[in-house]
Amino acid sequence: MEPEVQEEAREDHDDKQVVSEIMARCFIPTLVTSISWEAFRFVGHEIRITEAMDCYGAVVWPSALVLCYFLETNAKQYNMVDKNVIEIGAGTGLVSIVASLLGARVTATDLPELLGNLQYNISCNTKMKCKHLPQVKELSWGVALDRNFPRASSSFDYVLAADVVYAHPFLEDLLLTFDHLCKETTIVLWAMKFRLEKENKFVDRFKELFDLEEVSSFPSLNIKLYKAVKKNRRNA
């Protein structure tokens, strides 16, 4: 077997092995209740998430599992303890819950119509379990950023995002939001599933403002995990 073929086969095997481990963190509850929920295991806890199948933002997508797994397995390198963390497009809240269980001061954000379910999931899974009580806050991308998240008082060590780029008309607003929330020292950890050409175009636009590094790739899921920091514009 040619070396290139051997390397490709090894990478494919590694990808499937890690993806299998990630997906194993999700399990179907044996207890049947009137409320539909899904269970996950991260950071030594069983996390129960209530979903709403009629809304994209209230479903746990694979990118969220990838980001949760990364936070848990890289907790020493990306230490969340006492760090100020904001998640944009938090959806069901799974990523924010995991970051909270890892010791972060978390602000979970999303559109107003998703905040009820988001608050419910976060409250149920973090009460009496976390060092810092997570906050839930409305954030419509690109809207009233200076008023709701003033740069003078909003300082985040990490911005987390999972599957926030897809076929929606708010990509420029999303980019503006990333830019507003980040200082030069802020680290963005972003998991993204590639579906259409729009994803590639957004990455290109993102790279105009941020230094972007691909941390992990999961070809079988078509998901990539990125780390980013703001470009030093004074030296650009």
Side-chain angles (χ1 to χ4, degrees):
M1 187 181 291
E2 294 292 331
E4 294 82 359
V5 177
Q6 287 181 327
E7 178 66 17
E8 185 176 330
R10 185 189 64 77
E11 290 177 355
D12 181 63
H13 176 267
D14 291 346
D15 168 52
K16 290 180 179 177
Q17 192 172 34
V18 175
V19 167
S20 176
E21 186 176 339
I22 292 172
M23 292 307 164
R25 300 303 185 93
C26 171
F27 62 96
I28 305 300
T30 55
L31 178 64
V32 178
T33 66
S34 59
I35 300 175
S36 175
W37 56 277
E38 203 167 4
F40 304 86
R41 289 191 182 94
F42 287 104
V43 203
H45 292 269
E46 179 182 303
I47 301 169
R48 297 186 178 189
I49 295 294
T50 301
E51 298 181 315
M53 300 307 294
D54 59 344
C55 180
Y56 284 130
V59 176
V60 177
W61 298 101
S63 293
L65 298 182
V66 166
L67 185 51
C68 289
Y69 180 83
F70 178 83
L71 293 175
E72 181 187 57
T73 56
N74 293 272
K76 288 186 178 180
Q77 184 177 358
Y78 298 94
N79 185 1
M80 294 281 126
V81 178
D82 297 332
K83 298 297 192 300
N84 291 320
V85 174
I86 186 168
E87 184 187 5
I88 60 175
T92 62
L94 179 60
V95 173
S96 287
I97 291 165
V98 171
S100 296
L101 292 171
L102 287 167
R105 294 185 177 92
V106 174
T107 302
T109 70
D110 216 314
L111 297 170
E113 59 267 29
L114 297 175
L115 297 187
N117 189 58
L118 175 59
Q119 181 69 69
Y120 175 81
N121 284 329
I122 286 180
S123 297
C124 289
N125 289 285
T126 61
K127 190 175 181 180
M128 307 298 290
K129 298 177 183 177
C130 295
K131 187 176 182 181
H132 307 287
L133 185 66
Q135 303 297 310
V136 172
K137 193 169 181 179
E138 176 185 342
L139 173 54
S140 300
W141 299 335
V143 176
L145 295 174
D146 288 319
R147 184 183 71 218
N148 296 329
F149 298 90
R151 281 194 167 107
S153 57
S154 301
S155 180
F156 298 107
D157 300 295
Y158 290 94
V159 174
L160 306 179
D163 225 2
V164 292
V165 180
Y166 49 93
H168 59 70
F170 308 109
L171 293 179
E172 284 300 316
D173 296 321
L174 174 60
L175 186 61
L176 180 66
T177 302
F178 270 121
D179 184 56
H180 179 85
L181 294 175
C182 291
K183 299 182 182 295
E184 289 185 359
T185 56
T186 304
I187 295 174
V188 177
L189 294 174
W190 165 31
M192 184 170 82
K193 183 177 180 68
F194 284 79
R195 302 178 182 87
L196 303 167
E197 182 60 26
K198 276 191 173 184
E199 281 87 355
N200 292 315
K201 290 181 178 178
F202 182 83
V203 170
D204 291 338
R205 287 281 290 117
F206 189 85
K207 287 162 71 172
E208 293 174 9
L209 300 178
F210 291 83
D211 291 321
L212 189 65
E213 174 189 349
E214 183 181 311
V215 177
S216 299
S217 179
F218 305 91
S220 62
L221 296 175
N222 215 21
I223 290 173
K224 291 185 178 181
L225 179 64
Y226 293 109
K227 170 188 174 182
V229 293
K230 257 188 175 182
K231 287 182 180 292
N232 189 333
R233 294 173 192 173
R234 287 172 296 185
N235 299 328

